Structures are given as C-alpha cells and as structure tokens.
Amino acid sequence: MLCAGISYAQNAPTAGHRPVPQQPQLPPQLMPPHPPEKMQQRYFDIDAKRQIENIESEDALPRSREFKRIDSTYYVGWMYEGVYKYNHAADYLGYKNAAIPLERALNLIEHDYSKALATRTDDVLKLYPIRAIQPDYTVLAYYLMQCYSNTEQPDKVFALLRRVLKWRFQFDYSMDTYNFLAWTVHRNRFYTSVKYPFLKNSIDANEKLANSYLDSGMMNILRNKKLNDKLAQFFPGYEEREKMAVYHYKNMLYSYTFNIDSANYYFDLMRKAGHLPHNNYANFLGICGDFKTAESEYKLAAMQDPADKRLQEWAYYTTIIDIYKARPKLGVLLARNMIKAAGSTPGYGWYNIALARCMLYDGQISEADRYIDKAAEFKETHIGTTLGQSQYDFSIQLIKLINKEQSWQMDQFEHANWWYNPSVLLSMARKMSEKYLQQFLIINQFATNPERDRVIYKLFSTESTVSWDEIYYLIHDFSTDFFIKRFENEAVNDSRDHIRKYFALFVARLKMQQGKYADAKKILDRIIHDPNIDEDYEKLFIARVCEAEAACAANQKNVAAQNEWLYRVYALYSQLVPYTGMPMNMSLHLSGDIDKDVEKRLRECNIHWVTNTSIPAPNVYIQFTRKGNKKDITYYVLDKGGNYIVNKQSFAWQKPDEAGTSLAYRIFNIGGKEEDEDAAQ
C-alpha cells in the first residue's frame, strides 16, 4: 500500500514539487561561527538567488555548482544537487548517488545551524528568522530517507529518523517522523531483530511497535499544541494536517490486520476532513469484497496520481478487478498504457506482471509467458510502497506456475485424441514435469515467508499482489486436509461478510480433489444462491462455482446438468473453458469459401459440436472469404438468446493448421481484438 510521499504535515511539499522556504537573516545568537563577510556572502549571493531559482527546476544542478563555488561549506548547494539527482533517479545507482550530496548537506546544516534547529518557541518574532532552517532540514531528511528506502537500507532510514527526532521540531514540516518510523517498521515487519536491530521478533510484535510510534506521534502533536496554539493564526490548520498523517498510517495498519471497524473509523475521519487517501481506501474496500466501490476509488486515485517515478497501485489493482469482472482485455489495455508511460522506470516490472496476469486470464498463455519473463528480468525498485521484492518475486513465480499448468491443458484442448497421440502425450509429460519443478521452487520460496498465513491463506489482503483465484493454483496439490480445515474455519468466522463465500468455494474445490463430490456439491449449491454475490464484479467467482458444479455433474454422470453448468461458464467467462478439461458443446455454422483443412483442424480440437437444439450450446458463425491471395476468416458467437458473446471480428491466415487452432481459441474470446476502454463501459 502506498504510504511514503503522502504527507499532511504543516508546509509539507507535495510529491514532485517540494518548495523550499526563503531564509531571512538570523539573529546573532543563532549565527554560525563564521566571519560576518562569509555570512553576508551566503545571504546576498546564495539565499537571494533561491527566491528565483526553484530547487525542483532543471536549472537546479547548474545552480548547485554555482552555490558550491561561492561557498562549498554552505548546505544549500549540496541540497540543490541532491534534490536534482533524486528527481532524476530511476534505479538503485541513481538513488545511491543522490544520497551523497544530501548526506553532505544534512551534516553541514547540523554543523552550522544547530542552535536554530533546536529552537522551540511560541513567539512568532523568534520563529520567523528560523522559518527556513527547520523546514530545509526536514526537506533534506525527507529526500535522504527516500534514497535510503529506495535502495533497501532500512537500518539507515531508521537511524536517520531517530536523528531527526532529537531536534524536537514543533512542526512536522516535510517530515512527520513518527509516522515514517511506523511505516519503516511495517514495511519490514516480516524480518526480526537479527536482521534489523530496530525490529521485534514477530510480525505481530512489529505491528504493535509500528502502532506505538503512531501513538507517540499523536502525543507529540498534543505536546506541541501548547506552543503552536499561540502561533495558530500564522499556521492555520496545522494541527488537523498533522493528525491526518497519523490517521493515514493508522488505517493502513488496521487494514493489514483486518481490524475492519478501526480502519473504517480512521477512513471516516479522513473523509470528513477532505483528506481521504483514495488508493488506500480502494485497497481496503478490495479486501472487504466491495470491488465496485473499490474500482471507483481507484479512478479517483488516478486523478490524485502525482505522476512521479513509482508504481501506481491504482493501475495494478484495477487490472485485477478487470479480471474479476471477466474483462481481462480491458486490463491488458490499461497495463499496456502504463508500461508505455513508465518506460524502464520503477513500476515497469509490476505493470508487466499485471499484463502477464491479464493475458493469462484472457487465455493467451504464450503472451503471458513473454511478459512475465520481462518482469523477471527487470530490476524493480520499490518506491513509496510497502510492496517489496518478496511479493514481486512471489507474483512472478505464481503466474509462471499457472502458465505451466495451463500449457499442459492446452495440449488437451488442441487435440481431442490426446490420450492416444504419442507426440501429444510426450509433450504433456514434459510440461507436467516442468510444472512440478515450478511447484517445488515456489513452495520452497513460500515456506520461508512468515506472512503466508495472513497475506496468502487469508485471501484478500492489502499486502497481497495476486488474485484470490491464483492462490488456488498454489495450494490445490498440497496438504488438502490442512487447507480444508483452515478454510472451513474462515468460511464461518471471517469478519468480512462478502469474503466468506470465497473460503467456502475453496473448501468445495478441495473436497473435489479428495473425491468427495457429493459434499462439495452441497457447498456449491449454497454458494450459488448467496445474496452477497455481485453479478457484475464477481463474474470470475461465479464462473468458478459453475465450473465446479459442472465437474460435480460430470462425476455423477449427469450429462444434462454438466452441459447447463458449462454453458453458464462460457456465457460468463468464455476464456476459462478451454482450460477446464471439459469439452464445450457448440453449434457450428460455416459459410463462404470454406477451407476444408481449416475446418478439419478446428474439429480436431476438444470441442463437442452439436446439432441438437435441446442441448445448451452457443452458436458459432464462421465465414471464409478470399480476395486474390488474401484469405480472411470472420467469426462471432451468439448465446441462445441471440446476444453476442464473442463480437464479430476477422483475421487473415495462410497456414490451415495454424488458422484452425487459432480459430478454436478465438471462439472462446481468447486473443482477438483488445477492448477500447470507452466502448467497454
């Protein structure tokens, strides 16, 4: 969940633009021990130019060189250099380089202006002369903290935050330090004091520690209130903004621990104050199963997007909601646009994961493989988010696992006679071996993850980066009794009304793994009538229930029920059907200059072509056309009521074998034209 970079503190610069206050001359008692001539030179030759030279501008670097030539012992030149390098950094090396001048600037400002930094007062005449020094310090500390965080040096982050605290600033300015202490602990919650001495030795203890820092931050606001109330007319609204920052991190921690009521309480406080963090609120709604409102909040988060170089979580998680809505092509479009906008900057790897996932749920397995390999090869920098490398690696490996399982099922779909085709059987055996190797890899990696109980097995977590459906592929081959017992408990006791049905579905599918189809069907029959199902935003869920019902009917030799349930899967989420292992009933209508070789290859796929109108089957319309050497196939699919399931579209072809196989996938809406976002509304 995005945290760093969102600040409600007094005078806090916004992400991407952090204006530096201008500095009046200091009173003699606060002056550094330098000759008056040097101080006058700083004031007239450097400070005066700061009034017209924005530290965020492209001229910041030449200005930094000029300022350092004038006085290299003055922190301002180093600050300009550090901020410029930070703003132009996009990888580990860039942030490491930016940290060097920022460290120098911080040391210089502490050396020269320690008395000004330590000043606390309720007298505006005393505060006014130092109104640049303390904010400058917090700007420096903020950027340096981000450099350390972006280069995965939490020990340095923590030490820096403790260093800032010693000055006991009466306003947070750009550095709400207690909140960042909490965020640093939460971001590294799965480690222990062995790795980082500032941590405790369990996730629960670390979350408690993070919460205690937020409580300390609130107490600090109240302590400072005694001074700041007398200055309130000069700093209107400072107290509310500083409290909003605490609330922001409070609802983050409570969302993570599934403390739904407390998280709602703090979100309400922020909403009433006009400071609702739409991205984090959308994440919270997502774990509660309110995907429709979550999608709306992500759209609002996109409008808040500062467009800096970091993962835009709203985009990543919106693609998952598109999958839940059975609109993976819409997710493909969004992920492609984000990749194009991001280039090879932080977030690029995450967007490739999102694109690979959307391709996977659109049935395009080879494309999913291509994009997940891109993500694996990219060195992602995790900026301003608690999502880290372990989640990144896990998401990649899980999609690779599903791809291998789906690739095995593709052989079944493309060859109706697979069970007596030696070459296909050999291919399937090889792919099954690859799947087992991938399972071994991911389980070994997963076994050392202390968060698996609350982020993976719990289903829907603010720190999860995969969909609920992907989790089933992870667990269905392992320890079935363990997971049945766990999910049965969650299906009854989970506090989230809209999520309990997901645990029940897992129980039913795992019982099917054990051969207990009758028990599973009873659960599935209850689920399908759950009043909490959102038919627009939970199509993937409904389709999986119908798929399981079809499998139960097949086991019970109830062909009519199997046909009906599988037809419902196709109508809801047609891309899933080729990977169910069950042949779909379809009615074929050919016209035009029919190519018999293409037709033959199409009929060799694992599709049950029917002519009996009493059998529920979509109508497939295929037209062949030739114009000289150009050969096209136009196709579309209608449901029993004459409504489009697959819209009319065409493709050119040359080789009959490839055309027949491609057509078999296309009539399940796999591949083909990607949706236009406006047309998809």
Side-chain angles (χ1 to χ4, degrees):
M1 180 177 294
L2 282 175
C3 296
I6 298 177
S7 180
Y8 304 92
Q10 173 67 29
N11 290 341
T14 56
H17 180 71
R18 292 186 169 269
V20 178
Q22 306 310 318
Q23 181 180 329
Q25 282 190 305
L26 294 171
Q29 66 271 22
L30 299 181
M31 281 285 192
H34 296 307
E37 297 80 11
K38 186 172 186 176
M39 297 307 299
Q40 288 297 308
Q41 186 181 44
R42 286 183 178 183
Y43 184 71
F44 289 108
D45 293 346
I46 297 178
D47 295 333
K49 289 186 178 181
R50 289 182 63 186
Q51 298 180 26
I52 57 173
E53 297 292 349
N54 192 328
I55 197 171
E56 303 289 342
S57 73
E58 289 301 309
D59 291 332
L61 188 60
R63 291 292 78 74
S64 74
R65 293 167 181 160
E66 177 187 350
F67 294 160
K68 287 190 290 182
R69 282 196 302 270
I70 294 170
D71 185 353
S72 63
T73 65
Y74 194 24
Y75 73 88
V76 174
W78 299 101
M79 180 171 70
Y80 267 64
E81 179 186 351
V83 172
Y84 177 89
K85 288 183 174 180
Y86 176 90
N87 287 335
H88 290 77
D91 56 19
Y92 181 90
L93 184 59
Y95 291 110
K96 285 283 280 187
N97 288 336
I100 296 170
L102 291 171
E103 289 170 343
R104 181 75 175 269
L106 200 68
N107 290 333
L108 289 172
I109 195 174
E110 285 186 341
H111 179 271
D112 282 358
Y113 297 99
S114 59
K115 292 180 181 178
L117 293 173
T119 298
R120 291 171 59 86
T121 180
D122 61 4
D123 185 346
V124 69
L125 295 178
K126 293 181 179 179
L127 184 65
Y128 181 78
I130 63 168
R131 69 186 179 95
I133 299 297
Q134 292 184 358
D136 272 0
Y137 185 93
T138 63
V139 167
L140 279 167
Y142 175 85
Y143 279 114
L144 184 55
M145 177 193 71
Q146 295 289 45
C147 287
Y148 290 154
S149 181
N150 296 347
T151 52
E152 301 299 334
Q153 299 182 84
D155 47 348
K156 287 190 174 183
V157 172
F158 194 84
L160 174 62
L161 292 170
R162 301 301 301 186
R163 179 177 173 183
V164 175
L165 276 184
K166 76 176 184 180
W167 298 110
R168 300 175 61 245
F169 295 135
Q170 64 192 83
F171 295 109
D172 284 343
Y173 299 111
S174 298
M175 195 71 171
D176 35 334
T177 312
Y178 283 107
N179 298 330
F180 287 131
L181 283 167
W183 186 79
T184 302
V185 171
H186 175 67
R187 191 170 189 255
N188 297 279
R189 62 198 171 275
F190 33 77
Y191 297 121
T192 68
S193 59
V194 174
K195 186 173 181 69
Y196 299 120
F198 63 84
L199 293 175
K200 301 297 183 181
N201 292 318
S202 70
I203 292 176
D204 287 338
N206 285 330
E207 289 300 292
K208 184 177 180 180
L209 176 62
N211 236 319
S212 71
Y213 282 126
L214 297 181
D215 292 339
S216 296
M218 185 61 72
M219 290 175 60
N220 191 55
I221 294 170
L222 297 177
R223 278 196 302 267
N224 291 333
K225 181 178 173 65
K226 297 175 183 177
L227 287 175
N228 295 340
D229 274 356
K230 295 181 180 180
L231 303 166
Q233 60 180 311
F234 304 103
F235 300 93
Y238 81 91
E239 182 181 351
E240 180 185 85
R241 286 191 292 273
E242 291 187 359
K243 286 182 177 179
M244 287 301 115
V246 177
Y247 299 161
H248 174 82
Y249 291 92
K250 278 284 187 180
N251 60 50
M252 178 191 71
L253 295 185
Y254 285 130
S255 296
Y256 171 73
T257 55
F258 302 100
N259 194 330
I260 306 301
D261 291 340
S262 295
N264 259 323
Y265 171 76
Y266 285 105
F267 278 124
D268 280 343
L269 288 176
M270 299 189 76
R271 181 187 295 105
K272 291 173 183 176
H275 290 290
L276 184 65
H278 294 291
N279 182 79
N280 286 9
Y281 187 51
N283 288 347
F284 171 71
L285 292 170
I287 72 167
C288 294
D290 185 356
F291 306 118
K292 182 177 182 178
T293 312
E295 183 183 57
S296 298
E297 289 293 321
Y298 282 132
K299 289 179 179 178
L300 293 173
M303 296 171 64
Q304 289 182 331
D305 178 5
D308 55 356
K309 293 171 288 190
R310 65 172 70 188
L311 166 68
Q312 304 303 323
E313 286 189 7
W314 64 265
Y316 182 85
Y317 285 111
T318 294
T319 63
I320 294 180
I321 292 179
D322 287 333
I323 289 169
Y324 294 166
K325 294 163 56 183
R327 306 296 287 275
K329 287 181 170 62
L330 204 56
V332 167
L333 179 65
L334 175 57
R336 286 193 192 280
N337 288 339
M338 296 305 296
I339 289 170
K340 183 178 179 180
S344 297
T345 62
Y348 174 84
W350 285 109
Y351 302 139
N352 273 280
I353 293 174
L355 181 53
R357 178 181 293 111
C358 290
M359 288 294 188
L360 168 62
Y361 280 89
D362 195 49
Q364 301 186 66
I365 307 307
S366 61
E367 287 295 283
D369 272 332
R370 185 161 71 92
Y371 288 109
I372 205 63
D373 285 342
K374 284 188 177 182
E377 293 165 2
F378 181 70
K379 176 59 178 174
E380 183 63 84
T381 304
H382 308 286
I383 297 177
T385 176
T386 54
L387 306 179
Q389 192 63 36
S390 61
Q391 289 127 311
Y392 185 82
D393 293 338
F394 176 70
S395 300
I396 289 172
Q397 297 304 329
L398 186 52
I399 290 176
K400 285 187 173 184
L401 173 64
I402 301 171
N403 282 349
K404 291 184 183 301
E405 185 164 324
Q406 302 288 56
S407 180
W408 179 86
Q409 290 171 328
M410 285 174 66
D411 280 341
Q412 282 192 341
F413 175 71
E414 293 176 14
H415 304 88
N417 66 342
W418 62 270
W419 63 88
Y420 59 87
N421 187 319
S423 63
V424 175
L425 286 173
L426 184 62
S427 172
M428 293 176 69
R430 175 180 56 79
K431 291 177 179 179
M432 185 59 68
S433 176
E434 291 175 354
K435 174 197 165 184
Y436 287 143
L437 287 174
Q438 182 67 19
Q439 280 182 324
F440 179 77
L441 171 66
I442 197 171
I443 289 298
N444 277 349
Q445 179 191 69
F446 191 58
T448 61
N449 185 344
E451 275 197 305
R452 59 186 181 274
D453 283 341
R454 69 182 74 206
V455 173
I456 304 301
Y457 300 158
K458 187 69 175 174
L459 301 187
F460 299 102
S461 164
T462 55
E463 301 299 333
S464 176
T465 55
V466 300
S467 69
W468 64 269
D469 191 60
E470 293 166 77
I471 301 303
Y472 185 74
Y473 287 92
L474 174 68
I475 68 169
H476 70 81
D477 286 334
F478 299 99
S479 304
T480 306
D481 286 330
F482 167 80
F483 287 117
I484 286 177
K485 184 179 296 185
R486 181 183 183 88
F487 293 138
E488 281 178 336
N489 178 65
E490 297 287 3
V492 174
N493 297 317
D494 193 280
S495 60
R496 300 165 293 170
D497 294 341
H498 296 276
I499 299 301
R500 288 195 288 268
K501 61 181 178 285
Y502 287 87
F503 292 112
L505 174 59
F506 271 45
V507 172
R509 295 172 78 182
L510 289 171
K511 284 184 177 293
M512 291 165 63
Q513 289 283 106
Q514 294 181 326
K516 299 176 180 178
Y517 286 91
D519 292 344
K521 180 166 175 52
K522 291 178 182 177
I523 299 171
L524 295 169
D525 289 345
R526 288 195 299 270
I527 294 173
I528 205 68
H529 296 105
D530 191 312
N532 289 323
I533 293 178
D534 186 325
E535 293 185 358
D536 292 324
Y537 283 79
E538 295 184 287
K539 286 185 178 179
L540 175 61
F541 174 77
I542 302 170
R544 288 302 191 198
V545 175
C546 293
E547 178 189 342
E549 287 274 20
C552 286
N555 177 263
Q556 296 168 354
K557 310 299 182 185
N558 188 340
V559 176
Q562 179 186 354
N563 290 341
E564 186 62 44
W565 284 114
L566 198 57
Y567 176 82
R568 291 180 67 178
V569 176
Y570 181 85
L572 284 164
Y573 212 133
S574 53
Q575 296 97 322
L576 301 180
V577 177
Y579 305 98
T580 63
M582 292 178 280
M584 181 73 202
N585 295 312
M586 302 186 105
S587 178
L588 184 61
H589 306 272
L590 300 174
S591 62
D593 189 4
I594 301 170
D595 187 286
K596 295 299 182 182
D597 290 332
V598 174
E599 180 187 358
K600 178 176 179 292
R601 183 65 188 90
L602 174 62
R603 291 185 180 276
E604 288 174 351
C605 293
N606 198 19
I607 301 171
H608 188 202
W609 302 105
V610 299
T611 57
N612 186 343
T613 56
S614 66
I615 297 175
N619 289 291
V620 179
Y621 294 88
I622 301 173
Q623 182 180 26
F624 293 82
T625 58
R626 289 176 183 263
K627 291 183 180 180
N629 293 327
K630 185 179 179 182
K631 298 180 288 186
D632 290 321
I633 296 175
T634 300
Y635 64 95
Y636 60 96
V637 184
L638 303 179
D639 66 13
K640 292 182 293 184
N643 303 304
Y644 280 96
I645 297 179
V646 178
N647 292 326
K648 183 181 289 189
Q649 50 194 297
S650 303
F651 68 97
W653 64 278
Q654 293 296 326
K655 298 179 180 179
D657 190 68
E658 293 177 1
T661 305
S662 176
L663 188 55
Y665 285 108
R666 285 170 177 263
I667 61 178
F668 288 89
N669 207 21
I670 293 172
K673 184 179 179 181
E674 291 178 4
E675 290 188 79
D676 177 80
E677 186 167 5
D678 293 330
Q681 299 304 316

